[in-house]
Amino acid sequence: MKPETIIPKDAGDEIMEVLVDGLQRDLKEDERELVDRWTSSFDKPERATIINMLKELLNKHKRHD
């Protein structure tokens, strides 16, 4: 799978969206805070890597369902 090269300026929000889609539920407030703290230190390449990894995991999970 070819990694995506376009990083939206709201990549932290995209990470949150991928997690919500994968879990198929809204995150609790403490979970949102944890993800925000976790992603706040990422630079653009790190965000891209995490987003791509999460999407790949989500796609593999969907194929097995």
Side-chain angles (χ1 to χ4, degrees):
M1 179 156 98
K2 186 177 178 182
E4 296 176 10
T5 55
I6 299 173
I7 310 300
K9 63 181 179 179
D10 60 345
D13 291 339
E14 187 173 359
I15 291 171
M16 195 80 70
E17 286 177 23
V18 172
L19 289 170
V20 168
D21 287 346
L23 294 169
Q24 298 178 347
R25 65 168 175 84
D26 289 332
L27 297 181
K28 299 174 190 168
E29 186 61 33
D30 59 332
E31 293 170 330
R32 285 187 171 280
E33 289 176 19
L34 182 62
V35 172
D36 284 339
R37 283 187 306 203
W38 175 54
T39 59
S40 66
S41 64
F42 294 168
D43 60 16
K44 285 186 178 186
E46 291 169 333
R47 287 179 187 274
T49 299
I50 294 296
I51 289 168
N52 287 328
M53 289 169 57
L54 289 171
K55 286 181 177 179
E56 187 175 343
L57 282 169
L58 182 58
N59 288 336
K60 286 183 179 182
H61 173 73
K62 285 182 177 177
R63 277 184 258 153
H64 288 38
D65 286 348

